[in-house]
Amino acid sequence: MIEFERKIRMRRPDDWHLHLRDGNILNSVVAHTARTFRRAVIMPNLQPPITDIQKAIDYRQRILDAIPDGLSFTPLMTAYLTDDLMPNVLEKGFREGVFFAAKLYPANSTTNSAFGVTNIEKIYSTVEIMEKIGLPLLIHGEVSDPHVDVFDREAVFIERHLDPLLKRFQNLQVVLEHITTKDAVQYVQNSQSRLAATITPHHLHINRNAMFKGGLRSDYFCLPVAKREYHRVALRQAAVSGEPCFFLGTDSAPHLRQFKESSCGCAGIFNAPYAIESYAQVFDEEGAIDRLEPFASEFGPAFYGLPLNEDHIILVQRPQLVQDRIEIQNFDQGKDYIVPFHAGETLRWSIQV
Ligand code: NCD
Ligand code: ZN
């Protein structure tokens, strides 16, 4: 019997949630996304964060300068909301085609969120303008209240903050980013609002046990933190459901090895180098490989009102070994590296080049 390689030709995907960092890291990581994805929503949690139009323009240019020749990639820029970011800055940035969306980090909820919003009600007047002009609000949906158990912070956020927000701003376009719980899946599914959610590859692959397998494994630590198995199952069902309110956002979040491997390791998983292959494996395992294309390439543009990409990529069912590290040329501290998600594993799908 001759067994043919399984192949999928799919519309080129976009990444609706991506951290590219800056400087040497940006220069080393952007190609991993640009080789597969046509567009990406770029997170603004730099140090200092992207809080004005000029910073976003300059950062966009640095990203464009870092893209290798021959690749076509569009960074979609976001503004980092703070308690006192002026709505007229958002409006001007949006009208000038600089800001694609604005990102809400509850203060101290995740990496570089110290300047985030201390209380969502404080920025309601800004949100009102966003609703009026049609600027989407992207939310890191976790409370930072230290009294709330870290595994409950997403569910509590939905109840305490998201639900009241959506009730008040019924025309606001909102994305609940990188959802991790069954609670979030059900909330988004049942919502009557203009609400969608992104789902990462890692939350489809791992549950919270991954962080403690044989020791403390910071490579699997991200925020929101991976939850119990039944949450992972719910996320997989949502991703392959064919419901347009769930779409791809990798939350690829590179951190140098030295900052992951420390007594206070950073949150974030760098999945960009093998992101679409990682999603393909999940969809295939769920018997839903035909639903990968709408999840990865159609529902995002439909939600944001953007055209679909016109070119295609081809995935083949051909095993590939994931490399242990991605080298970064760090001129200040010598050579450093980032460990990609799935390091040392063999993935079943590859991109045909
Ligand atoms: C992100 C980062 O490192 O910037 N970390 C993460 O664990 N996902 C921030 C974020 O999206 O929460
Ligand atoms: Zn993120």
Side-chain angles (χ1 to χ4, degrees), residues 29-90:
V29 301
V30 69
H32 291 287
T33 293
R35 93 191 156 108
T36 306
F37 297 93
R38 168 68 70 235
R39 299 168 284 202
V41 176
I42 310 300
M43 291 299 128
N45 60 334
L46 302 185
Q47 276 174 318
I50 304 298
T51 47
D52 64 46
I53 300 171
Q54 197 54 47
K55 282 200 186 92
I57 292 174
D58 294 346
Y59 185 33
R60 181 169 63 188
Q61 193 55 49
R62 293 196 296 279
I63 295 169
L64 292 172
D65 291 345
I67 298 166
D69 291 345
L71 294 178
S72 160
F73 176 71
T74 305
L76 303 168
M77 309 310 289
T78 56
Y80 181 112
L81 292 172
T82 63
D83 284 352
D84 41 34
L85 180 64
M86 300 306 286
N88 62 326
V89 172
L90 284 180

Side-chain angles (χ1 to χ4, degrees), residues 196-257:
T198 51
I199 304 180
T200 75
H202 42 279
H203 290 113
L204 296 172
H205 279 276
I206 61 167
N207 64 28
R208 65 193 195 175
N209 286 352
M211 287 180 291
F212 307 106
K213 197 173 160 200
L216 197 52
R217 291 181 180 258
S218 57
D219 288 337
Y220 298 110
F221 174 53
C222 65
L223 287 168
V225 71
K227 308 293 192 301
R228 285 179 181 275
E229 177 63 5
Y230 78 86
H231 292 295
R232 184 181 78 103
V233 170
L235 292 170
R236 286 170 80 106
Q237 285 167 354
V240 305
S241 67
E243 291 175 87
C245 54
F246 300 112
F247 50 80
L248 185 154
T250 63
D251 193 22
S252 178
H255 290 282
L256 293 178
R257 188 72 192 143

Side-chain angles (χ1 to χ4, degrees), residues 112-173:
N112 298 343
S113 62
F115 300 101
V117 173
T118 55
N119 178 350
I120 296 176
E121 279 104 73
K122 273 197 189 162
I123 63 155
Y124 267 9
S125 55
T126 302
V127 174
E128 199 176 321
I129 306 285
M130 292 176 63
E131 179 182 47
K132 204 172 89 200
I133 64 177
L135 180 66
L137 176 66
L138 315 184
I139 299 183
H140 183 106
E142 287 192 290
V143 291
S144 47
D145 180 346
H147 301 295
V148 177
D149 189 281
V150 69
F151 294 99
D152 295 334
R153 288 182 187 176
E154 183 173 279
V156 172
F157 180 89
I158 291 171
E159 194 187 306
R160 270 194 208 167
H161 301 295
L162 183 61
D163 195 54
L165 179 88
L166 294 175
K167 287 208 168 98
R168 180 159 177 151
F169 301 103
Q170 300 199 348
N171 290 313
L172 182 69
Q173 231 183 332

